[in-house]
Amino acid sequence: MLPATVQAQEKEKTSWSQKIRSAYRGTYVGVDVFGAMNHILGSDFNSSEVSIEADFGNKFFPVMELGYGQTDATNDETDIHFKTASPYFRIGLGYNVFHKKTHLPGQFIIGARYGFSSFSYDVEAPALTDPVWGDTTIPFSYQGMKSSAGWLEVVAKLKTQVYKNFYLGLAVRYRKLSNVKKSENSEPWYIPGYGKNQSTNIGITYSLIYKLPF
């Protein structure tokens, strides 16, 4: 016979397991269409992204986002050409502000994400003139430079049911770069999943979402 302490621990584990199972209300799979649309309309950046989001009690929404970001662009002012294409991921948690209003056809979710990408890039620029030997030019072309970056996001997301298990989701993301790996000769201009290499930026995702029927 198990000691009373062990029995109590086993009972507590079972209770938590039952609570989690009873709170689970389904899983949403979303595909972002904003990245491709933005590129078609003339943006230098192109991205595709899939999200997997679980619903616990219409209140908490743990989420994983997997994507692929790329750019192949030349700066009109500096004539610097930058190219990269790489996957990225984000993980995080959302909280439905209107979780008690179950009559609403969706949720308004605020949350946070941690994002990361490991990638390589090519960068080229017009040759530099040696300041000492004026007639000598130094080429500026580096291929396959290795880099990685991590960032944090604060997200506000509106998800609305449009038909049965189909939803539309609009998310606004405030991003804060936490670290980026620089090389000896250059640093990345664009970070897949984050955007331009600057301390903060604002991003948008617009998703088609399907709630799995189980």
Side-chain angles (χ1 to χ4, degrees):
M1 186 173 180
L2 292 173
T5 306
V6 176
Q7 287 181 332
Q9 291 175 345
E10 291 296 327
K11 185 177 180 181
E12 184 177 352
K13 288 180 182 179
T14 302
S15 177
W16 273 106
S17 178
Q18 290 174 342
K19 288 180 179 179
I20 292 174
R21 286 198 297 268
S22 63
Y24 174 71
R25 297 191 180 183
T27 297
Y28 299 85
V29 177
V31 178
D32 174 48
V33 296
F34 182 82
M37 288 171 52
N38 200 32
H39 182 67
I40 291 172
L41 293 174
S43 172
D44 290 331
F45 310 137
N46 188 12
S47 65
S48 54
E49 183 176 310
V50 175
S51 64
I52 302 172
E53 182 181 54
D55 179 350
F56 289 95
N58 195 41
K59 189 174 183 179
F60 296 106
F61 292 80
V63 60
M64 175 177 285
E65 299 164 340
L66 305 173
Y68 192 83
Q70 56 186 333
T71 188
D72 187 351
T74 301
N75 188 299
D76 293 334
E77 296 181 1
T78 62
D79 206 25
I80 296 176
H81 176 245
F82 185 89
K83 181 179 180 180
T84 188
S86 183
Y88 61 87
F89 77 89
R90 307 187 199 96
I91 55 173
L93 180 67
Y95 173 81
N96 181 17
V97 176
F98 299 139
H99 65 274
K100 293 183 179 180
K101 299 181 180 181
T102 55
H103 62 282
L104 294 177
Q107 302 100 18
F108 177 63
I109 299 170
I110 58 173
R113 307 278 193 275
Y114 172 75
F116 180 82
S117 180
S118 179
F119 57 98
S120 61
Y121 64 91
D122 302 336
V123 59
E124 297 178 321
L128 304 175
T129 301
D130 190 305
V132 178
W133 311 96
D135 295 334
T136 304
T137 57
I138 304 171
F140 188 91
S141 178
Y142 299 96
Q143 311 295 315
M145 306 298 292
K146 303 295 184 181
S147 184
S148 62
W151 65 92
L152 300 174
E153 297 185 3
V154 177
V155 182
K157 179 179 179 180
L158 180 64
K159 182 166 61 184
T160 304
Q161 185 179 23
V162 291
Y163 178 74
K164 293 185 177 180
N165 285 14
F166 292 91
Y167 294 75
L168 293 176
L170 175 64
V172 179
R173 303 165 180 269
Y174 174 79
R175 297 171 175 143
K176 172 68 176 177
L177 192 63
S178 58
N179 63 279
V180 59
K181 180 181 177 182
K182 303 177 182 179
S183 72
E184 181 180 354
N185 301 304
S186 66
E187 63 178 284
W189 172 67
Y190 166 82
I191 299 168
Y194 180 82
K196 286 186 179 181
N197 181 4
Q198 51 195 28
S199 60
T200 62
N201 68 36
I202 301 292
I204 294 175
T205 49
Y206 185 74
S207 303
L208 304 178
I209 303 169
Y210 180 68
K211 185 177 182 181
L212 299 178
F214 51 81

